[in-house]
Amino acid sequence: MDKESFFKDVYEVAKLIPQGRVTSYGAIAAYLGVRRSARVVGWAMNGAVTQHDVPAHRVVNRAGVLTGKHHFKTPTRMQELLEAEGISVIEDQIVAFEKHFWDPMKELGL
């Protein structure tokens, strides 16, 4: 699979994350069948912040940390978007991460 089509697949999964929910780079990678490619999913999401139809703010690391925040217009924009959806963030980490976690393997099935 080439980079462009992989990134497109990542974006299609990200578009399915419901408001008020988040997922991780690793969860998207696992869903796409490339469990060890969480970093590549991260690279894809870094480029998605300029695409208005991809909710890049809903993808975080496996501990619920906003590791992609520096790719948004301002360093606080990712947190602002999450908080607008009812997700609390303290010191760049999602509060009650497990409660908000959306697992594409469970939600979309395979």
Side-chain angles (χ1 to χ4, degrees), residues 25-109:
Y25 308 111
I28 291 176
Y31 178 76
L32 294 175
V34 288
R35 186 171 297 279
R36 296 187 172 270
S37 296
R39 285 186 180 176
V40 181
V41 172
W43 292 331
M45 295 312 300
N46 292 343
V49 298
T50 59
Q51 298 186 34
H52 301 293
D53 63 334
V54 179
H57 64 285
R58 296 182 189 147
V59 184
V60 297
N61 81 0
R62 66 180 175 206
V65 177
L66 312 187
T67 52
K69 71 178 192 170
H70 300 291
H71 297 280
F72 286 79
K73 261 186 179 172
T74 67
T76 59
R77 185 65 180 145
M78 186 176 189
Q79 179 173 337
E80 292 164 359
L81 290 168
L82 289 168
E83 288 175 339
E85 294 182 10
I87 297 174
S88 296
V89 178
I90 296 176
E91 294 182 9
D92 295 332
Q93 186 160 14
I94 293 174
V95 176
F97 177 58
E98 302 79 22
K99 173 185 165 192
H100 299 288
F101 186 72
W102 180 82
D103 185 349
M105 293 287 276
K106 291 180 183 173
E107 302 291 338
L108 302 175

